[in-house]
Amino acid sequence: MLSEVGTITIGLALAVCLYASLAVFLSIRRSDPRWLQSGWNGIYATTAILGFGLLLLLFAFLTNRFEIQYVAQHSSRALPVYLKVSALWAGQEGSLLLWSFLQILFALLLIARPSVRTRPLLPWATVILGCVAAFFIGVTLFLSNPFARLDHAPFDGQGLNPLLRHPGMIFHPPSLYLGYVGLAVPFALAMAALITGRVDEWTRAARRWTLAAWLFLGLGLFLGARWAYDVLGWGGYWGWDPVENAGLMPWFTATALLHGAVVQEERKGFRTWNLVLVILSFVLVLFGTFTTRSGLIQSVHAFGRSALGYYFLAFIGLVLVGSFALVFRYRSFLRGNSSSEGLLSREGAFLIALVLFVTLTVSVFVGSTLPTITDVLSHRRFEAGPEWFDRVTGPQFGLMVLVLALCPLLGRSAQALRRLRSRGWPALVGGVVVAGSAALAGFTGWTSLVGFALAGMAGGTAVAEIAWDVVGRSRRKEEPFLQALQRQVSRHRRRYGGYLVHFGLVLLVIGIIGTRVHALETEVVLSPGEEAQIGRYTLVFEDLRQEQATDHVRTEARIAAYRDREYLTTLTPRIDAYAQQTVGVPALRPGWREDLYVVLAAYSPTEITLKVFINPLATFLWLGGLILLAGGAVAVWPSAEEVRLPVAEARRRKVRNTVAAVVVLALLIAAGAAMWGPGHGASARLVGRPLPGQPAPDFTLTLLDGGTISLADLEGRVAVLNFWATWCPSCEEELPAIQSIWEEYQGRGVVFLGVALQEDEAIVRGAADQYGLTYLLALDIGEQVSTAYGVTGVPETFVIDPEGNVAFVHIGPVTAEELIEELESLLGQ
Amino acid sequence: MGGKAKLTIAGLLIVAAVAYLIASNTGSTAHYFLTIEELQTMGEEAVGRSLTVSGAVIGDSIVYDPSVPRVTFTIVQVPGDPEEVERAGGLAAVLHAAVNDPSAPRLEVVYNDVKPDLLKDEAQAIVRGKLGEDGRFYADEVLLKCPTRYEEEVPDQAEEP
């Protein structure tokens, strides 16, 4: 029943959507506003119908309707509710339904509140968006129906792929989809502008749409990178995977479009550029969908092979041919003011930036499709790995950052060189400071130093531009600095958003250089209690714990981490074994200088294998990305100047904007908390266990047979400090061994001290009598001493040398052989 | 020379430089993608080049020494062309047939890393690395795909070094 209702819903949506497009088309042909109204009502109706379809699918997930194949494949009874929600778009069918819904929703938003500039473009834009939405709805209905039913409903579903069981999966795909569908809007507006001969108006009308799409696409990519870092456990965040690239390419062209649009709005330049960029952005979105779904390109994100790809290929061809035919047909509109002011002008810098964005896009495209391209050209297949991409794109990024550093300094006039001389110094200072501090911090090597210097130059310029601007205003208007800053930001949101984006980019570049050039990766094999030295870090393997969760077994290693031999934190990388697949969950200790990233690669009863990654400056990467996105958010917010409205309307808008701001902010904070919040397998205790060679922590204990003992009393003698408890089974095993060694060594000036982690004296006495313990015994009241020694479990044993330094540490039971060997080595000195 | 001409030249220079970067890196850092059969026809010529080879894993051949760590295993020829795989009944069928075909070309792979979880019988392995003079393939990277019950392909990156 549910299945039929769902399928009929999608079919209905397709019919209404097609009708809406046709009605709007007829309204243009016959200049009849009634058809237009009817068509727009159709868009509203389609949105409502598809929204209902999504809710229906959600309902099927929440009520475990496994007779629906999609639900059976992506959910199970045990799945937590938030993952059932995200399972909605975990597979191809559901994500296409979501896509269709968002696409038509954006058409609705476009017609719901058009600005004066948008209005004349609306009919044609609606026709185009309606057709795009109809394509997606049609594909969903005929090729990838999420409501398809199974002949025999299984009792339980197959569950969600364990790698997708991550809070990031709630935000990453929808955010990308918002970006993808968003880019269809500027495309539709541009085509409408071309048809109606208003080529200068579309960039302004489309500006916020482009920005919003750019922002969501960027957020999606960024969350995806973080998800990879968090979940995939290869120490990286960007693998130049074809599908990652598919998201990156439209983001590049959209970024270029945002820049080209500035010039078009200011000087009516770059008209053809902008049209080509908007077409490319939309086509690359479709290409991205094609690569994910065609099965032609092997990738992390591939949805498996299906015939879907060919339909997308046909649609891409149609869009390309159609849109370029339009550009050609209306090319006379495009001739305009294209006087440019030469290389060293702001416009020149913009042009170079556009060229670079396009060459970057082409490079990534060539890299992603290299096997196919080389196969066609030479019948040999070459594959581009990360090294290929780094080497090809690296110099282009470098040049881009250089343009970024110089561009704001170049005016529109021919006085560029003089301006450069008078205002160029912050760039120089920034470059020297950043490259210098990087070199001092040990990040040497000329490629990275050049990169750091370029980033510093761009950063210096960005900061100086803001400072000059705000100080200028504060002098002119005699406002305090902060007020001037706030006023400037709210008056010129796009410009200040841009500065912020550029500043974020600078940090991002620093992070990318650090992580890609200076990262360290190594493997260590450790047995319990053993330590490994990796760079400045000492890792001590404490123990391995296993626990049965509802649908998987969790194996967690506890690793005490020390930096420069000082206790830092305790890392718990783990392996979750599901029925069909195991997932390694890395432990991460972020830091400003570097991240310590540890993966439990393998384990056995006697030892574990760890992969240890030291990722320098990774924090700059995440921080830079966040600032970049925040800059986009500042730019997309309506500027104070744009809103000049009646009081009542202004107030209503203010309320609406505030509500929107709160919702967006809440979502961003939720996404941020999910990705960067606590729980990355690192939790620091107050005190760490002393490492061998370090002074033993001081203590004073009341002995069971009266009197006290403190560390000072042990001076000049070898001491064995054994933490134990009467309830601990492995203590039972080692106590007889310790007693026998005590008997053997008591004549040689060795002190044995048993510290019981218990407060009931009678029980401890009972146990001591039972095992016949004759060495010194004390109760650790309030666990003060065990805390000071960083003890995490019983038994643990510390052997202290005559100088009062820890010589040996045993986490877990100690054997008689080990203890004898250690005592002999200390006594023999 | 006018500003516009200078700009055009600068733009063209960038385009030419990028074209050069792409061409030269395709010659040097890109991996030559081969099937085992093609690799063996190349003979000595293949030694020392960056290569990507794919094949089906023979479960019994997997030897793992966790103390190094190092894993060695043998892969068997599977067709490189996705359409050919499709015609032969899909990836799972092709992998199954390959492993049970004693006459198919084989390649021994040495991978100095932790044994990936997905390395098991009839998995598809895509190995990147170089052919040694001893005829064994020294992999820097092993990507694995198993026909799983999940619809999505198993992420490659999980196995990247």
Side-chain angles (χ1 to χ4, degrees):
Chain A
M1 184 60 195
L2 193 66
S3 161
E4 284 78 19
V5 174
T7 309
I8 291 168
T9 305
I10 303 178
L12 192 63
L14 178 62
V16 177
C17 184
L18 284 172
Y19 165 77
S21 312
L22 188 68
V24 178
F25 181 73
L26 284 178
S27 84
I28 300 168
R29 273 290 128 101
R30 305 190 177 169
S31 307
D32 187 341
R34 282 175 307 173
W35 277 113
L36 186 66
Q37 193 53 51
S38 175
W40 285 0
N41 288 342
I43 299 283
Y44 282 98
T46 315
T47 317
I49 296 168
L50 280 179
F52 173 72
L54 265 182
L55 285 178
L56 208 60
L57 191 58
L58 181 64
F59 173 76
F61 268 104
L62 293 179
T63 53
N64 300 319
R65 302 292 286 265
F66 299 124
E67 76 265 26
I68 293 179
Q69 188 180 3
Y70 184 69
V71 177
Q73 280 174 349
H74 295 92
S75 181
S76 61
R77 291 178 194 274
L79 208 61
V81 170
Y82 79 97
L83 287 176
K84 282 184 178 164
V85 175
S86 78
L88 210 56
W89 47 77
Q92 171 175 283
E93 293 88 346
S95 63
L96 274 173
L97 182 63
L98 177 69
W99 190 307
S100 308
F101 169 72
L102 292 175
Q103 190 66 74
I104 202 70
L105 179 69
F106 270 53
L108 181 150
L109 291 175
L110 183 71
I111 55 178
R113 213 172 267 280
S115 67
V116 184
R117 257 180 243 113
T118 322
R119 207 156 276 150
L121 306 176
L122 271 191
W124 275 112
T126 315
V127 173
I128 294 166
L129 281 177
C131 290
V132 172
F135 170 75
F136 277 98
I137 302 172
V139 166
T140 313
L141 179 64
F142 295 116
L143 301 171
S144 179
N145 183 359
F147 291 101
R149 69 181 297 146
L150 286 171
D151 292 337
H152 302 284
F155 172 71
D156 201 357
Q158 296 175 347
L160 188 64
N161 185 335
L163 287 166
L164 301 181
R165 299 180 195 197
H166 184 274
M169 277 300 117
I170 301 177
F171 301 101
H172 162 65
S175 182
L176 274 180
Y177 294 157
L178 281 172
Y180 286 153
V181 299
L183 283 175
V185 178
F187 170 77
L189 287 171
M191 292 303 110
L194 204 51
I195 296 169
T196 54
R198 299 163 190 273
V199 278
D200 277 326
E201 278 159 57
W202 73 270
T203 48
R204 213 179 274 270
R207 180 211 284 171
R208 305 248 320 266
W209 291 99
T210 318
L211 250 174
W214 175 88
L215 187 61
F216 280 118
L217 195 51
L219 183 66
L221 289 170
F222 188 58
L223 290 177
R226 179 67 192 188
W227 169 79
Y229 196 58
D230 244 21
V231 174
L232 293 186
W234 53 282
Y237 49 87
W238 188 266
W240 292 111
D241 170 280
V243 177
E244 292 170 351
N245 296 345
L248 187 64
M249 287 189 282
W251 196 68
F252 279 157
T253 50
T255 316
L257 177 59
L258 288 172
H259 289 86
V262 172
V263 179
Q264 180 159 349
E265 283 167 37
E266 284 177 358
R267 307 172 54 80
K268 301 194 191 304
F270 290 1
R271 283 168 167 164
T272 316
W273 267 103
N274 289 337
L275 274 172
V276 170
L277 286 171
V278 81
I279 295 170
L280 269 186
S281 302
F282 180 59
V283 166
L284 285 170
V285 165
L286 296 176
F287 177 77
T289 341
F290 162 71
T291 52
T292 358
R293 284 150 228 273
S294 64
L296 286 187
I297 292 175
Q298 305 286 354
S299 146
V300 179
H301 302 76
F303 279 100
R305 195 179 162 80
S306 69
L308 227 62
Y310 299 106
Y311 291 89
F312 271 95
L313 213 53
F315 192 55
I316 291 173
L318 189 72
V319 169
L320 268 179
V321 170
S323 49
F324 279 104
L326 281 179
V327 173
F328 185 74
R329 172 149 180 225
Y330 296 102
R331 63 191 181 282
S332 56
F333 294 143
L334 298 174
R335 251 179 257 126
N337 180 359
S338 64
S339 78
S340 106
E341 305 204 25
L343 192 54
L344 278 181
S345 68
R346 189 156 163 274
E347 215 177 300
F350 268 70
L351 184 67
I352 298 293
L354 292 198
V355 170
L356 280 170
F357 275 118
V358 172
T359 56
L360 272 169
T361 310
V362 171
S363 308
V364 175
F365 184 84
V366 169
S368 308
T369 52
L370 198 63
T372 315
I373 293 177
T374 48
D375 195 17
V376 171
L377 290 181
S378 65
H379 295 288
R380 300 196 305 179
R381 294 174 70 208
F382 284 93
E383 221 191 16
E387 195 189 354
W388 187 96
F389 282 100
D390 283 354
R391 281 169 184 247
V392 171
T393 59
Q396 300 180 59
F397 283 122
L399 192 55
M400 183 81 87
V401 178
L402 179 68
V403 173
L404 185 60
L406 298 183
C407 178
L409 303 175
L410 303 167
R412 278 182 221 159
S413 62
Q415 298 170 324
L417 272 179
R418 202 194 305 162
R419 248 174 92 88
L420 253 184
R421 250 176 249 137
S422 67
R423 308 192 82 169
W425 61 268
L428 280 183
V429 171
V432 170
V433 167
V434 172
S437 14
L440 284 180
F443 300 114
T444 48
W446 74 268
T447 25
S448 45
L449 283 182
V450 168
F452 283 128
L454 286 175
M457 286 169 71
T461 307
V463 172
E465 282 296 300
I466 298 175
W468 276 320
D469 209 37
V470 176
V471 168
R473 182 190 170 96
S474 120
R475 288 227 184 98
R476 235 175 19 249
K477 307 240 168 169
E478 295 181 348
E479 288 169 351
F481 184 81
L482 279 180
Q483 192 187 353
L485 176 68
Q486 189 243 322
R487 291 260 161 93
Q488 281 296 83
V489 172
S490 65
R491 293 274 151 81
H492 309 284
R493 290 199 189 273
R494 179 156 68 163
R495 197 162 87 211
Y496 277 81
Y499 288 147
L500 210 53
V501 169
H502 291 165
F503 187 71
L505 186 70
V506 167
L507 297 183
L508 197 68
V509 166
I510 291 175
I512 290 174
I513 298 173
T515 47
R516 281 204 110 83
V517 183
H518 298 280
L520 185 104
E521 180 198 338
T522 181
E523 269 155 26
V524 288
V525 180
L526 292 175
S527 47
E530 199 181 343
E531 71 170 67
Q533 188 72 33
I534 296 141
R536 301 157 65 208
Y537 295 92
T538 311
L539 301 182
V540 179
F541 172 34
E542 292 183 345
D543 59 358
L544 199 66
R545 296 179 178 193
Q546 256 183 351
E547 152 187 359
Q548 175 73 47
T550 42
D551 53 355
H552 64 274
V553 179
R554 165 172 298 193
T555 309
E556 193 174 78
R558 287 201 309 169
I559 319 279
Y562 298 74
R563 184 165 57 203
D564 297 328
R565 300 195 73 75
E566 209 153 296
Y567 175 74
L568 189 66
T569 189
T570 301
L571 298 167
T572 47
R574 62 172 210 262
I575 292 178
D576 290 345
Y578 292 83
Q580 302 263 327
Q581 193 175 344
T582 55
V583 179
V585 182
L588 172 66
R589 165 62 167 73
W592 281 107
R593 194 199 144 85
E594 60 208 7
D595 283 9
L596 176 64
Y597 183 108
V598 177
V599 181
L600 178 60
Y603 61 85
S604 71
T606 50
E607 59 190 20
I608 56 166
T609 309
L610 295 178
K611 281 194 185 192
V612 183
F613 299 83
I614 292 170
N615 289 329
L617 308 177
T619 304
F620 283 84
L621 182 98
W622 307 122
L623 188 69
L626 285 176
I627 291 178
L628 187 148
L629 294 171
V634 167
V636 83
W637 224 249
S639 176
E641 282 169 335
E642 268 179 46
V643 191
R644 222 166 261 145
L645 296 158
V647 180
E649 173 68 13
R651 188 174 304 147
R652 236 179 34 194
R653 286 212 174 180
K654 195 161 186 182
V655 170
R656 213 183 56 209
N657 283 345
T658 316
V659 170
V662 169
V663 170
V664 170
L665 209 67
L667 274 177
L668 279 180
I669 290 173
M675 304 301 265
W676 284 270
H680 293 282
S683 65
R685 295 194 308 267
L686 283 176
V687 187
R689 209 178 275 111
L691 288 171
Q694 293 180 336
D698 198 7
F699 61 86
T700 306
L701 281 166
T702 307
L703 294 170
L704 224 51
D705 47 6
T708 59
I709 189 165
S710 65
L711 186 68
D713 300 328
L714 304 176
E715 212 186 308
R717 297 157 79 180
V718 174
V720 176
L721 208 58
N722 173 246
F723 291 90
W724 66 293
T726 53
W727 42 262
C728 127
S730 38
C731 303
E732 271 176 48
E733 289 168 26
E734 70 167 4
L735 286 174
I738 292 179
Q739 172 65 25
S740 69
I741 298 169
W742 155 244
E743 285 164 11
E744 198 179 327
Y745 281 83
Q746 58 180 328
R748 298 173 63 181
V750 178
V751 180
F752 274 57
L753 176 57
V755 184
L757 271 75
Q758 239 145 349
E759 311 220 336
D760 190 328
E761 200 177 318
I763 295 178
V764 176
R765 274 187 197 284
D769 289 343
Q770 187 193 333
Y771 295 113
L773 303 182
T774 57
Y775 50 88
L776 297 176
L777 290 172
L779 302 185
D780 187 13
I781 306 294
E783 300 196 347
Q784 281 178 352
V785 180
S786 51
T787 307
Y789 275 77
V791 170
T792 52
V794 275
E796 287 195 20
T797 306
F798 294 80
V799 182
I800 301 172
D801 72 12
E803 284 79 45
N805 293 322
V806 172
F808 301 100
V809 179
H810 295 275
I811 304 163
V814 60
T815 63
E817 294 76 31
E818 286 170 332
L819 203 51
I820 291 171
E821 193 186 324
E822 290 163 11
L823 287 176
E824 284 299 334
S825 78
L826 287 175
L827 292 169
Q829 280 167 8
Chain B
M1 192 160 52
K4 198 160 184 185
K6 271 192 209 162
L7 258 181
T8 312
I9 291 174
L12 288 178
L13 274 180
I14 293 176
V15 172
V18 171
Y20 170 75
L21 272 176
I22 290 177
S24 67
N25 276 294
T26 302
S28 59
T29 57
H31 288 255
Y32 193 3
F33 203 104
L34 291 165
T35 63
I36 298 172
E37 203 165 17
E38 287 164 342
L39 177 70
Q40 289 174 350
T41 354
M42 266 178 87
E44 285 295 300
E45 208 194 320
V47 174
R49 289 174 74 157
S50 290
L51 301 171
T52 301
V53 183
S54 82
V57 176
I58 300 181
D60 292 339
S61 71
I62 302 170
V63 179
Y64 180 46
D65 178 359
S67 63
V68 180
R70 169 188 298 147
V71 55
T72 56
F73 56 96
T74 301
I75 54 176
V76 196
Q77 161 78 18
V78 287
D81 182 10
E83 301 210 335
E84 204 174 314
V85 171
E86 204 69 1
R87 274 200 301 277
L91 187 59
V94 167
L95 292 171
H96 182 73
V99 169
N100 294 308
D101 176 6
S103 64
R106 293 171 181 226
L107 178 68
E108 197 179 333
V109 180
V110 182
Y111 181 45
N112 283 324
D113 206 317
V114 179
K115 180 176 161 249
D117 289 323
L118 297 173
L119 185 68
K120 44 191 164 195
D121 199 32
E122 294 183 19
Q124 186 197 12
I126 299 172
V127 294
R128 298 205 173 113
K130 286 175 179 157
L131 187 69
E133 295 195 359
D134 56 359
R136 300 203 293 178
F137 191 86
Y138 291 85
D140 305 318
E141 198 179 334
V142 174
L143 308 180
L144 291 155
K145 282 184 191 341
C146 300
T148 64
R149 62 183 188 138
Y150 299 110
E151 182 201 9
E152 286 83 0
E153 300 283 339
V154 172
D156 302 342
Q157 287 178 5
E159 307 305 337
E160 275 185 30

